[in-house]
Amino acid sequence: MNAQQRVVAVLYALAESIRECGEIPSGTLYAASMNVFQSVDQFNSAIARLVGAKLVERCGDVLKWIGPAIPR
C-alpha cells in the first residue's frame, strides 16, 4: 500500500467511526486512534479534510456526521 492509499484508508476509517457513532468527542476519537497518528496536529488535519468535504461538522469538541445516510 502506497502513502496515498494509506491516507485514504485512515480518512475512511475516521469517517466510518464518526458515521457509526453519529457524534463523538474528538478527544475520544483521537485517543482511540493515537496509534495511527504521530501528533494531534496530524489528527486535526485529517478531521479538517472530513470537515472540508462536508462529511463531518465540528461543534466545539464534538464531531458530528453530516454526510449521507448509509442504509444498513
Side-chain angles (χ1 to χ4, degrees):
M1 186 180 295
N2 66 37
Q4 188 175 25
Q5 290 170 324
R6 285 192 299 270
V7 168
V8 170
V10 167
L11 290 173
Y12 179 79
L14 286 174
E16 276 298 292
S17 297
I18 299 167
R19 185 187 66 77
E20 286 183 16
C21 292
E23 59 182 47
I24 186 171
S26 61
T28 301
L29 185 58
Y30 175 65
S33 59
M34 283 178 65
N35 62 329
V36 175
F37 298 101
Q38 294 178 3
S39 70
V40 71
D41 290 334
Q42 283 184 340
F43 172 79
N44 285 330
S45 177
I47 295 301
R49 288 180 182 225
L50 297 175
V51 169
K54 297 190 183 336
L55 295 173
V56 172
E57 182 177 76
R58 179 175 244 159
C59 303
D61 185 47
V62 176
L63 302 171
K64 181 178 180 181
W65 182 257
I66 59 170
I70 299 173
R72 295 187 180 250

